[in-house]
Amino acid sequence: MSRRTRILLALIAVYAIGMAALLYQLLADLDPRYRESAEEGLIETAQLMATVIEQEVEHGALPTDRIGALFRDLYARRFSAQIFQLHKTRVELRAYVTNRHGVVVYDSTGRDLGKDYAGWRDVRNTLRGEYGARTTRDVAQDADSAVMYVGAPIRWQGEIVGAVSLGKPVQSFGQFVSAARSNILYLGLMSGLSALVLALVLSFLLIRPLGITTDLLAALRTALWHDAQGRRRFSPRRAGARCGRRRAPPTRKCAMPWPGATTCRTTCSSSRTS
């Protein structure tokens, strides 16, 4: 393998490793970016929900019946929304409300009513007046069952009397992540292969003529020579030998002192044959 081929293969390997690292980083960073976007929307919705609940609070008591009726009507609504390749027909938003002690007084799923949620990060931080959010799996062994929760404080006369947390299943926007991941992978591979083929074609078209030109210049330098009198001579035969013809090893012609002698004299002449 020539040195030029080894250099070319090394450059291709470096290019392939760089493209693979770039694609891996893009694909790994895709899911967190979608989650950040979904979390930003949940924050605004949770604040809106807390504002609606605060209008129904009386003497610090949370209006659980009003909240329950609101979500029953919300889940009963049916609509048709085509979001690119996703067809959405129902609301998947979850909600639960806790009192000032972190006890669940309303749960839209009906599973955790009466449980103590004071230890959950979204409830604990929200009741302290801080930003509270968490992501928890419904089934510990199933990553697709993860749900994002964002909390918002419920205030009455300037005092936090409870917290509302809105949850959104990660699987609800997982289809967008999968589609974006497939598109990035396809476009990345196609772009990388196209750039590699173009680089190989350009290297062949640019480097090969330079190599031919270099050989021709070297042949011309070899063809121009000076004889014993110092005169410039030009020999096409020498140029042809430089361009690739093999030159035979030198042979020694010796002057024999007499016919039948087996040894040469000390004065010998060397010549090369093409």
Side-chain angles (χ1 to χ4, degrees):
M1 185 182 296
S2 65
R3 181 179 301 176
R4 181 181 301 175
T5 303
R6 290 197 298 268
I7 293 175
L8 180 61
L9 292 178
L11 291 177
I12 292 175
V14 171
Y15 173 78
I17 293 173
M19 285 296 299
L22 178 60
L23 284 177
Y24 176 80
Q25 185 63 34
L26 288 175
L27 295 176
D29 197 51
L30 192 61
D31 186 67
R33 299 290 80 80
Y34 270 87
R35 295 198 182 201
E36 288 174 358
S37 178
E39 184 175 350
E40 193 269 342
L42 279 176
I43 292 173
E44 295 183 350
T45 308
Q47 295 296 329
L48 175 62
M49 190 67 191
T51 303
V52 172
I53 296 174
E54 287 174 354
Q55 295 179 357
E56 301 290 336
V57 175
E58 294 182 0
H59 305 289
L62 299 175
T64 56
D65 294 339
R66 181 76 178 90
I67 301 171
L70 178 65
F71 272 90
R72 279 195 304 270
D73 293 342
L74 179 63
Y75 289 153
R77 294 177 66 90
R78 288 295 178 265
F79 54 89
S80 178
Q82 188 68 38
I83 310 173
F84 295 99
Q85 291 139 1
L86 174 64
H87 186 214
K88 194 171 183 64
T89 59
R90 61 189 178 89
V91 174
E92 297 177 298
L93 198 66
R94 302 182 184 182
Y96 61 82
V97 179
T98 63
N99 59 20
R100 67 180 72 202
H101 304 295
V103 177
V104 178
V105 296
Y106 172 77
D107 180 17
S108 63
T109 63
R111 296 178 302 184
D112 299 328
L113 186 63
K115 290 186 178 180
D116 186 2
Y117 270 21
W120 288 110
R121 187 173 180 270
D122 57 329
V123 176
R124 182 181 67 249
N125 289 1
T126 301
L127 292 176
R128 293 176 181 174
E130 303 172 358
Y131 173 63
R134 67 181 172 96
T135 300
T136 306
R137 296 180 181 180
D138 286 341
V139 181
Q141 295 78 17
D142 186 8
D144 293 333
S145 66
V147 182
M148 297 175 57
Y149 292 96
V150 171
I154 301 173
R155 291 183 172 89
W156 181 71
Q157 295 183 350
E159 180 185 359
I160 296 178
V161 295
V164 56
S165 288
L166 295 184
K168 188 174 184 62
V170 174
Q171 193 175 12
S172 64
F173 57 86
Q175 300 180 38
F176 297 111
V177 177
S178 299
R181 184 178 288 115
S182 300
N183 291 336
I184 290 177
L185 186 60
Y186 174 77
L187 292 176
L189 290 177
M190 290 299 100
S191 300
L193 290 176
S194 300
L196 181 59
V197 171
L198 181 61
L200 292 176
V201 171
L202 289 178
S203 65
F204 178 81
L205 294 177
L206 296 177
I207 296 176
R208 183 175 178 82
L210 291 177
I212 295 176
T213 303
T214 303
D215 292 339
L216 290 176
L217 292 177
L220 289 176
R221 285 195 299 268
T222 304
L224 293 173
W225 57 286
H226 295 82
D227 57 11
Q229 288 76 28
R231 291 175 295 183
R232 184 184 295 272
R233 299 289 185 181
F234 179 79
S235 174
R237 184 178 181 183
R238 291 169 61 94
R242 179 64 178 84
C243 285
R245 278 195 251 167
R246 280 189 157 181
R247 302 171 66 184
T251 58
R252 300 179 63 84
K253 295 180 180 179
C254 303
M256 297 301 178
W258 59 83
T262 58
T263 60
C264 297
R265 294 180 181 175
T266 57
T267 58
C268 297
S269 62
S270 298
S271 64
R272 295 180 183 270
T273 60
S274 301

